[in-house]
Amino acid sequence: MKALLLRHETVLLAVIVLLVAIVGSLNPNFFSLINLLFLMKNSMVMLVLSLGFFLILVIGGLDISFAAVAVTAMYITLKVATGIDMEMGFVPILIGAAAIGAALGFLNGVLVSWLGVSSLIVTLGTMSLYRGFLLFFFGTEYLRKLPEGVIEFSRSNLFQVTAANGAKVGFHSSFLLVALIALAVGLLLRFTVVGRQAFAMGADRVAAARAGFRVGRIEIGFYALAGALAGIAGLLSASFIRVANPFSIIGMELDVIAAVVIGGAAITGGRGTVIGTVLGVALIAVLRNSLTLLSVPAYWHDLGVGMVILAAVVISSLRLAQTSAKP
């Protein structure tokens, strides 16, 4: 029981509960059904991106191109789907976005693995490359007439309830999709040989290679998987706002990195959990929502997130130093 209470995820959950209690006491509207469902739906894109970023951290990499991958995969997919058939269903479009994202992530992995260059430098370059490619070949036009399958998905709910003010609020279908993605990532990392090798690789790449692990294939595979998740996140974003915006998602990098680091993932690799990542996303989402409800000016929001990141990094460093000092 003591070990459970001292776990990072338990402490993080306690912080979220405390924050929710404080904000709820200051503004009871926080607990309204409309706000809670909006908060959950608004977190779906960030959660999928965070899971992809977490996969890269696990293997000891650092990918900052995920937002560019998400937008590029989403826009190209919807541009092609719109030109081919407006009646196309959501699932084929989702697979298309994931495939394009996986291809872009695969390129990231190949460059990082084959060149042996810092993943931060490589993805900084590919981020600009993907953005430039999208804007040069596909333009900056907003696609407002989306395929019917995307529109239907944007309106789909697992169930619908009536709020106190009479408004009908839906529990969106994306919750189920994202829950399945999180479960799949968790199972991959915890119960498969590849997942265990990925953690070992992130903890010590040289030792993993000497142990016979195919670190190059694992690295490329995880970058491709992270790219696929980014493509899915991009399509979810477009379906929520019902517009394919070539400038959307860009700027979400701070929240995603904050969520994963706060969730307990080590920047140096080899440590972290899916549950921690989910809780990190929840904390960032609740924090931003709370600042909005409390009428805090928007320019203070990033300051709040930045302070939370620094606090998480300091706590993580102290915990790591304490663990290393034990005999």
Side-chain angles (χ1 to χ4, degrees), residues 35-122:
N35 182 66
L36 292 177
L37 288 177
F38 170 80
L39 179 62
M40 293 179 65
K41 183 177 179 180
N42 206 37
S43 307
M44 294 298 100
V45 173
M46 180 167 60
L47 178 53
V48 178
L49 289 174
S50 297
L51 290 170
F53 185 74
F54 171 60
L55 285 173
I56 302 304
L57 283 190
V58 165
I59 61 174
L62 190 60
D63 181 5
I64 61 172
S65 69
F66 56 84
V69 171
V71 174
T72 303
M74 172 271 292
Y75 195 86
I76 293 177
T77 301
L78 291 177
K79 186 83 170 179
V80 173
T82 302
I84 294 176
D85 183 7
M86 290 296 293
E87 301 298 325
M88 186 178 295
F90 180 75
V91 173
I93 297 175
L94 181 69
I95 295 174
I100 294 176
L104 298 178
F106 177 82
L107 178 58
N108 282 343
V110 168
L111 292 175
V112 171
S113 181
W114 289 4
L115 296 179
V117 182
S118 166
S119 56
L120 174 64
I121 301 301
V122 171

Side-chain angles (χ1 to χ4, degrees), residues 58-60 189 193-203 213 218 222 270:
V58 165
I59 61 174
L189 293 176
V193 174
V194 172
R196 292 191 290 271
Q197 290 180 347
F199 275 108
M201 174 181 166
F213 299 163
I218 295 174
F222 269 60

Side-chain angles (χ1 to χ4, degrees), residues 251-322:
M252 196 180 286
E253 292 89 343
L254 176 64
D255 284 1
V256 170
I257 294 172
V260 178
V261 173
I262 291 169
I267 292 293
T268 52
R271 183 161 57 90
T273 64
V274 169
I275 294 177
T277 300
V278 172
L279 291 174
V281 170
L283 179 58
I284 295 299
V286 169
L287 177 62
R288 286 199 176 273
N289 182 258
S290 302
L291 293 174
T292 300
L293 289 176
L294 297 177
S295 301
V296 176
Y299 50 81
W300 286 102
H301 291 197
D302 287 344
L303 175 63
V305 174
M307 292 175 63
V308 171
I309 294 176
L310 290 177
V313 170
V314 170
I315 293 173
S316 178
S317 299
L318 292 176
R319 289 169 62 90
L320 182 61
Q322 185 180 26

